[in-house]
Amino acid sequence: MKKIPLLLLLFTAFHSFGQLGFCNGSKGIPIFTEDFGSGTDYGPALPAGVTSYTFIAGTPSDGLYTLYYRTNQYGSWHNSPDHTPDNQPNGSNGKSLIVNASFTPSEFYKRVVSGLCVNTTFEFSSWLMNVSNANSTACSGNSIPINVTFEIWNATETILLRSGNTGDIAATSSPTWTQFGLVFTTGIGQTSVVLKMRNNSAGGCGNDLAIDDIMFRSCGDFTTIGTTATTGNAYSVCEDVTPININLQVNSSGITTNVFQWQESLDNVIWNDIIGENSSNYATPNITTTHYYRVKVAQDVANLNNAFCSTVSEIFSIIIKPKPLAPLSNGNIIICENDPIPALTVATFGTESVNWYSAATSGTLLQSNSVAFTPSNAGIFYAESYTLNTCVSANRTAVQLTMKPIPAIVQNETTILCETKSVLLDAGINNVTYNWSTTETTKSISVSSPGTYTVTVTSPNGCTNLKTIIVIENLIPIITNVVIDERQVTIITVISGDYEYSLDGINYQNSNVFENTIGGVKKAYVREKNNCGIATFDFTLIIIPKFFTPNGDTYNDYFSMEGFQFINNTTIAIFDRYGKLITYLNKKNGTWDGTLLGKPLPASDYWYKAILQDGTELKGHFALIR
């Protein structure tokens, strides 16, 4: 058996174009078509003389053909519809000619085509498919390709007008329809031709094909209509500049001498000849509505009025655009002035575009080609529809953005909270509602903890604002010590707060260090600058000289401890370097002149020892210099 049925697979047909030659110009109405009908049954058989093959109402074997709406006569063939299934009266049930080629190369299709026009160029075309599936193993991977020659003969079949060969078309993995064509010209008195199709491949496994959509139609030079008013094949204007008239010109890609007949249409469906307009130029009358123009083209005046023997140019459209309706507002927008600004929007009634302006007429262009516009401030903005740059709506649509004022507050504040106390926080505005982060709803609240507090205030118009208050806790100062270095006094506190310092409780300074301090019984003061508290510390400052010079020059003639005189019940004992007691100093007798029993003692280091009223013991030495 030549073919082995396989599992039926469904494929989508692909289309491509062969290289025999097609009409490169304008084409006329088909004078002959063959689509082999439609339906889900086989047949009917072709008329006598059309083929030398035998019709079968079923699967064709070698030398047989059938007409059917699917090509999968064998499991090894593609399961494809005909070339144009959607153009058939019954939808997808269009038929094609399916041929199981004979073992012997031969003519398998012959058709006389009549009604042609003399002295006219025609295009023949047909769609062809190799129905063998390359994925099938029926032919062991050696499926014979199809190879078809198309021939156009004169009516007596004595003169070959044109022929072309497809070359070998191998089996494909998916169904592929390919179009082939021939271009030929009839001579004087020649009104019919004979179409022949020949199978050139040898017999064997493969060489199976389908034919569909055979067509003959006139072929002329590619013809267009142009104008100096525009480029392309259309000219569009707005209705408010009508009436207009345009000079049209026929443009042809070839050198053939043609004759013309201008036509016009109001709907691009029904065409009417424009009486007397047969030149390559045409000046339209004044028009106020859309018109379409084309030119019938023929190589012979006798063929001009024969739709089968003439071609038509590309259509030139003069489009009169009606002024678009003004866009429809999607509504004015009211927001609070601290809200994100939304887009203002409009709707159009079709495919119009929209521009936004600052005024109802003229004004500044704010946004182009958009149905939405986001302003940066409140105001009234105007949307204009347009279909062309010059075809705009008669009016602009006003869309308003209103911004309601928000409550006026000082948004960020900082306040001090003294340790162990509370502080009053106030929203700072009346006639609004309040919502504190503490959930309280009064204008002011009392807090006793540091932190960040917020209050949302809402005005009667529904707009809100947020105030933030940062509460910083300042601690009460605590003095831990007073450090003495001769006349330098440094006050030490637990922390370095926002403090100021004093040694008399009257005069304060930012530094905790005091220089050139006079000795005596003292009190240190540390005050928090925000009146959060004050701390004191009592101390005694004794200034002990390192030497004295009892030489009678009135400078440093006596040894004395500064501040000692302010301390009750304190005695200072002075010794020489060997521990011999020299003298005692007290509040009444607070100086030593460097003598013992009225005699001057030698220059040397001397020692002192004092016990203060609070029990503090002072020891040290000093120099007597002569």
Side-chain angles (χ1 to χ4, degrees):
M1 182 179 293
K2 181 180 178 182
K3 303 294 183 288
I4 301 174
L6 298 177
L7 177 64
L8 181 64
L9 300 177
L10 295 177
F11 296 94
T12 299
F14 295 93
H15 298 168
S16 62
F17 291 89
Q19 302 299 317
L20 282 78
F22 293 92
C23 175
N24 293 320
S26 299
K27 301 177 183 180
I29 298 173
I31 194 172
F32 170 83
T33 57
E34 176 61 85
D35 61 12
F36 301 106
S38 62
T40 57
D41 56 340
Y42 286 96
L46 296 173
V50 172
T51 180
S52 60
Y53 282 27
T54 301
F55 171 76
I56 182 172
T59 301
S61 57
D62 297 332
L64 303 182
Y65 77 93
T66 191
L67 273 64
Y68 200 56
Y69 75 106
R70 306 296 297 188
T71 62
N72 58 319
Q73 301 302 297
Y74 290 94
S76 61
W77 288 10
H78 291 305
N79 182 13
S80 172
D82 77 331
H83 167 248
T84 52
D86 295 334
N87 294 337
Q88 304 299 324
N90 295 325
S92 61
N93 296 330
K95 298 179 181 179
S96 60
L97 169 62
I98 302 171
V99 177
N100 191 332
S102 172
F103 279 96
T104 302
S106 61
E107 174 187 306
F108 67 89
Y109 186 87
K110 176 181 177 181
R111 195 71 179 243
V112 177
V113 180
S114 303
L116 304 180
C117 302
V118 299
N119 194 29
T120 301
T121 300
F122 287 90
E123 176 195 76
F124 150 76
S125 65
S126 180
W127 291 87
L128 181 65
M129 179 198 290
N130 185 335
V131 297
S132 295
N133 190 338
N135 296 324
S136 171
T137 59
C139 296
S140 301
N142 297 312
S143 175
I144 298 172
I146 64 173
N147 186 304
V148 175
T149 296
F150 300 102
E151 298 176 344
I152 306 295
W153 292 81
N154 68 346
T156 59
E157 301 182 42
T158 56
I159 299 174
L160 179 63
L161 301 180
R162 186 59 60 91
S163 68
N165 178 254
T166 64
D168 287 346
I169 302 175
T172 57
S173 58
S174 59
T176 302
W177 284 101
T178 304
Q179 188 182 36
F180 298 92
L182 292 173
V183 176
F184 65 95
T185 302
T186 58
I188 297 174
Q190 187 175 10
T191 60
S192 62
V193 295
V194 177
L195 165 65
K196 295 182 180 181
M197 298 184 191
R198 296 183 180 275
N199 166 39
N200 301 317
S201 289
C205 192
N207 192 18
D208 305 306
L209 56 92
I211 297 285
D212 199 13
D213 292 328
I214 301 171
M215 182 183 299
F216 282 79
R217 55 182 171 178
S218 59
C219 172
D221 295 333
F222 183 70
T223 306
T224 61
I225 298 174
T227 175
T228 57
T230 185
T231 58
N233 57 2
Y235 179 65
S236 298
V237 296
C238 191
E239 63 180 352
D240 58 2
V241 299
T242 59
I244 63 168
N245 59 76
I246 298 178
N247 292 319
L248 303 178
Q249 171 71 48
V250 175
N251 300 314
S252 178
S253 63
I255 59 175
T256 306
T257 300
N258 294 310
V259 292
F260 308 107
Q261 174 60 61
W262 285 86
Q263 293 184 312
E264 67 176 353
S265 173
L266 298 179
D267 58 6
N268 203 14
V269 176
I270 300 175
W271 292 89
N272 297 307
D273 291 346
I274 304 175
I275 305 302
E277 297 298 336
N278 304 105
S279 69
S280 59
N281 297 291
Y282 173 63
T284 71
N286 289 334
I287 60 175
T288 58
T289 59
T290 295
H291 279 60
Y292 303 92
Y293 293 93
R294 71 182 187 185
V295 176
K296 288 196 300 184
V297 183
Q299 295 168 270
D300 190 294
V301 69
N303 298 332
L304 193 60
N305 291 322
N306 187 333
F308 296 126
C309 301
S310 61
T311 61
V312 291
S313 69
E314 300 293 293
I315 296 170
F316 188 89
S317 306
I318 300 178
I319 309 297
I320 309 300
K321 296 278 190 178
K323 292 180 73 66
L325 296 174
L328 180 65
S329 171
N330 287 328
N332 297 327
I333 294 178
I334 300 175
I335 62 172
C336 297
E337 61 185 359
N338 59 348
D339 290 338
I341 298 179
L344 304 177
T345 62
V346 293
T348 61
F349 293 90
T351 59
E352 300 93 348
S353 299
V354 174
N355 288 336
W356 292 81
Y357 291 89
S358 61
T361 58
S362 298
T364 301
L365 177 63
L366 303 174
Q367 173 77 54
S368 62
N369 193 27
S370 176
V371 295
F373 168 63
T374 303
S376 58
N377 53 271
I380 302 176
F381 306 91
Y382 300 86
E384 178 182 85
S385 295
Y386 69 91
T387 52
L388 294 172
N389 289 336
T390 57
C391 199
V392 299
S393 55
N395 301 301
R396 294 174 180 171
T397 299
V399 187
Q400 184 170 4
L401 172 66
T402 301
M403 293 186 181
K404 298 183 294 184
I406 62 174
I409 59 172
V410 177
Q411 288 190 321
N412 298 307
E413 291 182 354
T414 300
T415 190
I416 301 300
L417 170 67
C418 294
E419 183 183 8
T420 72
K421 297 183 180 180
S422 62
V423 65
L424 192 66
L425 307 183
D426 194 283
I429 186 173
N430 297 317
N431 302 318
V432 295
T433 60
Y434 312 92
N435 185 12
W436 289 88
S437 54
T438 61
T439 72
E440 294 167 278
T441 58
T442 55
K443 180 175 179 291
S444 60
I445 63 173
S446 178
V447 298
S448 56
S449 299
T452 299
Y453 296 84
T454 60
V455 58
T456 300
V457 295
T458 305
S459 63
N461 66 8
C463 292
T464 63
N465 207 348
L466 181 69
K467 180 173 185 174
T468 300
I469 303 176
I470 299 174
V471 177
I472 299 174
E473 183 180 42
N474 282 3
L475 301 179
I476 298 173
I478 299 175
I479 301 174
T480 59
N481 194 17
V482 172
V483 177
I484 299 172
D485 184 6
E486 295 188 359
R487 295 186 180 274
Q488 184 187 77
V489 176
T490 303
I491 303 173
I492 307 300
T493 57
V494 173
I495 64 170
S496 298
D498 193 13
Y499 300 151
E500 54 188 0
Y501 307 85
S502 176
L503 292 180
D504 61 8
I506 299 173
N507 301 299
Y508 283 86
Q509 65 182 40
N510 290 326
S511 173
N512 66 331
V513 179
F514 295 82
E515 306 286 351
N516 301 316
T517 308
I518 298 173
V521 177
K522 301 289 184 180
K523 185 184 290 287
Y525 299 84
V526 179
R527 183 172 67 186
E528 202 280 326
K529 292 182 179 181
N530 295 282
N531 297 318
C532 284
I534 188 169
T536 61
F537 189 90
D538 295 323
F539 68 99
T540 302
L541 177 60
I542 304 296
I543 307 299
I544 303 174
K546 297 182 182 298
F547 65 91
F548 77 110
T549 58
N551 55 12
D553 63 358
T554 71
Y555 295 101
N556 295 324
D557 283 342
Y558 298 96
F559 173 80
S560 169
M561 290 186 178
E562 184 180 327
F564 167 73
Q565 63 271 29
F566 301 105
I567 304 173
N568 295 323
N569 302 322
T570 299
T571 299
I572 301 175
I574 297 176
F575 305 89
D576 66 11
R577 59 189 300 179
Y578 302 107
K580 179 181 178 181
L581 177 66
I582 304 298
T583 187
Y584 284 101
L585 301 180
N586 54 39
K587 186 174 182 180
K588 292 182 179 182
N589 180 26
T591 63
W592 178 49
D593 60 2
T595 65
L596 176 64
L597 300 176
K599 294 181 179 181
L601 291 178
S604 180
D605 278 351
Y606 291 86
W607 297 83
Y608 65 87
K609 178 180 179 182
I611 299 176
L612 304 182
Q613 187 177 13
D614 61 0
T616 302
E617 183 178 281
L618 300 177
K619 289 182 180 181
H621 62 88
F622 60 93
L624 188 158
I625 301 174
R626 294 198 179 271

